[in-house]
Amino acid sequence: MTLTGNDEHTGRPRRRPRTGRRRRPVAILIGLTLAGGLLLTGCGASDSNGSSTDGSNKSGGRGFPQPAPNRTSGTSQGEQKNTPTGDASREFAPSPDYLSTFALDVDTASYGYARRALVDGRLPEASTVRPEEFVNSFRQDYRRPDGNGFSVTVDGARTREEDWSLVRVGLATRDAASSGERPPAALTFVIDISGSMGEPGRLDLAKDALGVMTDRLRDDDSIAVVTFSDEARTVLPMTRLGHHRDRIYDAIRGLEPTESTNLGAGVRTGYATAVKGLREGATNRVVLISDALANTGETDADAILENISTARREHGITLFGVGVGSEYGDALMERLADKGDGHTTYVSTIEDARKVFCEQLPQNIDLTARDAKAQVAFDPETVKQFRLIGYDDRQVADEDFRNDRVDGGEVGPGHTVTALYAVRTRPGASGHLATASVRWLDPDTRAPHEESGQLETGSLDEDLWTSSTRLQVDAVAAYFADDLRTGDDKANPLPGALPLGELADRAHRVASAAEDKAVDDLANAVERASGLMG
């Protein structure tokens, strides 16, 4: 494996709303989402990683597609007519289109909610299963960059299906614990207190976690609290912790469930409160805690967020969605976070909630990169066919990779983003396989930067199930998600897929090698799903 680095400064384009993102047809290539997490130091970062090798920038290869040129219109290389319809992530990209472009994403809610469903003795709805969120739920050992931005790791291994490999593109931001002094945080918590939040594992989790978080925040951080049921109200305006922690504790303790769910009113009031309490030089973010079962007022994500687009666009206030509850409006929460320039997670236990609001708080609050996009260029001399696993809703037109008016994803310190590809190499192929590039804007100056990594066919491990432990974990997560989405339709499974019972056995072996509770939980989830599917 050879990794390369390239840093580009080409001006300071103004930030635009996310309306420029376009879905790619199936025949065009698919998108890879990346990185993420944000910065506060009350609790330490939970994800410390090892290192991988990297080197100087090279954009070579024997005539393989280069990253898209800096243009804002036109068609990408090899675009094909009469594109078939259907689920893009379940199609294999045909030649001659060898570019894959996507906006980065660090959501993990899909996996958390699937685990909750399996614990409750039921399979998750296929529509709620997003493979990239399964894969990105696990710790990685990618090398971390020294400053803001990303490191790029590209590796892979051969499956037991002839000529097919899994290729992994890994992006990592600097470790939150090593970030030094951070800006203060101004957090507006928008908390659902509708009747459905009275179920154990909803509002009670939020109250416990927010109390612990308040203990850990610094005196110069600020908190506001907005609640909503049939209507919304500001319980606590933006308040610096300092000597006012008791006011915050009182506001949290006083939360009680009541009536229906007017989520639209909650988001509008939350953003109005955040704008009123806006702090220059601080991390300003709205944190929405809800089961997202909106049943009163506006219930469409686009319409809800259209009302607060100015706050997002002009003030840079991003949205972090925390889902709770055995019944959960996954699609609405995911759409809100996407349109709100943020990300989502899901919690079902006190341990989950404390992890999100304490250990992972830096990742979930601060920003190290805005509008981050990735592009993978496969070499047509060595690659015959490929498929990006997941990232269905994150696709970006190939020619818009360097169009900074087209929105990408927001990422914070301590985050990693992983994209897996199923890649079919040409028989006997050797040499360059792929180049992966990531482009992002500095969160303060909006200056663009890029970093790249490359992979040779000779660097592919010979057998996926004897490759590095973390690659095996990613493979188990991806195969598991693919099986949950496929159900009884086995027409187009991932190459090298195992029957679910065998995958459960493999998962337990990987969990033993990983010595990681999160991987134990994954193995148990696969085993439960195997039992439910028979």
Side-chain angles (χ1 to χ4, degrees), residues 237-397:
M238 193 64 72
T239 302
R240 296 210 186 193
L241 274 78
H243 301 294
H244 302 290
R245 292 179 193 267
D246 286 344
R247 291 183 62 195
I248 297 167
Y249 294 135
D250 288 343
I252 294 170
R253 282 194 294 265
L255 301 176
E256 296 294 340
T258 178
E259 302 187 31
S260 54
T261 309
N262 192 337
L263 191 148
V267 172
R268 282 195 305 274
T269 303
Y271 270 86
T273 301
V275 170
K276 187 174 182 180
L278 190 74
R279 292 181 58 183
E280 293 297 328
T283 298
N284 293 275
R285 176 158 282 208
V286 169
V287 182
L288 173 63
I289 304 173
S290 176
D291 57 18
L293 299 175
N295 55 24
T296 301
E298 186 57 70
T299 60
D300 177 72
D302 290 348
I304 291 170
L305 287 168
E306 182 61 32
N307 293 322
I308 48 86
S309 59
T310 300
R312 293 158 43 223
R313 205 169 49 239
E314 296 184 6
H315 301 299
I317 300 173
T318 55
L319 179 66
F320 174 40
V322 181
V324 295
S326 57
E327 296 298 325
Y328 167 56
D330 170 79
L332 178 58
M333 183 70 89
E334 197 270 342
R335 185 67 176 151
L336 283 170
D338 180 33
K339 295 286 289 184
D341 295 339
H343 65 288
T344 65
T345 191
Y346 177 88
V347 299
S348 60
T349 66
I350 288 176
E351 292 74 19
D352 288 345
R354 290 188 176 190
K355 184 177 182 180
V356 166
F357 288 109
C358 182
E359 294 175 34
Q360 296 178 342
L361 196 58
Q363 296 168 260
N364 294 323
I365 301 302
D366 200 20
L367 286 180
T368 58
R370 285 190 182 272
D371 289 326
K373 290 173 279 190
Q375 185 169 85
V376 182
F378 290 95
D379 190 332
E381 292 193 22
T382 57
V383 174
K384 185 175 183 179
Q385 199 175 14
F386 67 91
R387 162 181 162 190
L388 176 62
I389 303 171
Y391 295 103
D392 303 358
D393 299 325
R394 309 298 186 186
Q395 301 167 39
V396 174

Side-chain angles (χ1 to χ4, degrees), residues 376-533:
V376 182
F378 290 95
D379 190 332
E381 292 193 22
T382 57
V383 174
K384 185 175 183 179
Q385 199 175 14
F386 67 91
R387 162 181 162 190
L388 176 62
I389 303 171
Y391 295 103
D392 303 358
D393 299 325
R394 309 298 186 186
Q395 301 167 39
V396 174
D398 295 334
E399 64 268 22
D400 284 335
F401 176 60
R402 292 197 176 97
N403 181 357
D404 296 324
R405 295 175 298 175
V406 173
D407 201 12
E410 278 60 43
V411 181
H415 266 132
T416 60
V417 177
T418 300
L420 290 180
Y421 287 85
V423 177
R424 185 182 184 186
T425 53
R426 299 186 183 279
S430 64
H432 182 268
L433 186 82
T435 295
S437 301
V438 56
R439 182 180 178 88
W440 72 95
L441 304 183
D442 183 277
D444 297 320
T445 67
R446 302 294 198 273
H449 304 268
E450 288 186 22
E451 200 77 25
S452 297
Q454 296 190 35
L455 179 67
E456 303 290 312
T457 58
S459 296
L460 292 171
D461 288 338
E462 285 302 314
D463 186 347
L464 174 63
W465 300 118
T466 60
S467 65
S468 70
T469 298
R470 287 293 155 187
L471 178 56
Q472 290 187 59
V473 171
D474 296 339
V476 169
Y479 284 131
F480 181 35
D482 194 63
D483 213 310
L484 290 175
R485 293 214 300 182
T486 303
D488 294 330
D489 176 14
K490 305 295 184 182
N492 195 18
L494 281 174
L498 302 174
L500 201 55
E502 291 184 29
L503 185 65
D505 293 339
R506 178 66 61 182
H508 281 294
R509 275 179 271 175
V510 173
S512 178
E515 297 182 341
D516 182 344
K517 183 180 182 303
V519 186
D520 286 332
D521 292 339
L522 171 63
N524 291 333
V526 177
E527 187 171 12
R528 287 191 186 98
S530 178
L532 290 170
M533 286 185 175

Side-chain angles (χ1 to χ4, degrees), residues 49-105:
N49 290 310
S51 61
S52 59
T53 308
D54 72 341
S56 58
N57 179 43
K58 300 171 186 169
S59 58
R62 306 178 310 278
F64 73 96
Q66 304 299 305
N70 186 12
R71 61 176 186 260
T72 59
S73 63
T75 57
S76 64
Q77 169 179 328
E79 183 167 345
Q80 300 196 1
K81 308 297 182 182
N82 302 319
T83 300
T85 60
D87 182 351
S89 74
R90 301 199 63 78
E91 298 290 339
F92 291 92
S95 60
D97 190 348
Y98 287 86
L99 288 175
S100 174
T101 310
F102 52 94
L104 301 193
D105 181 17

Side-chain angles (χ1 to χ4, degrees), residues 143-157:
R143 179 187 62 84
R144 298 281 185 177
D146 294 329
N148 282 351
F150 297 92
S151 64
V152 181
T153 300
V154 192
D155 60 6

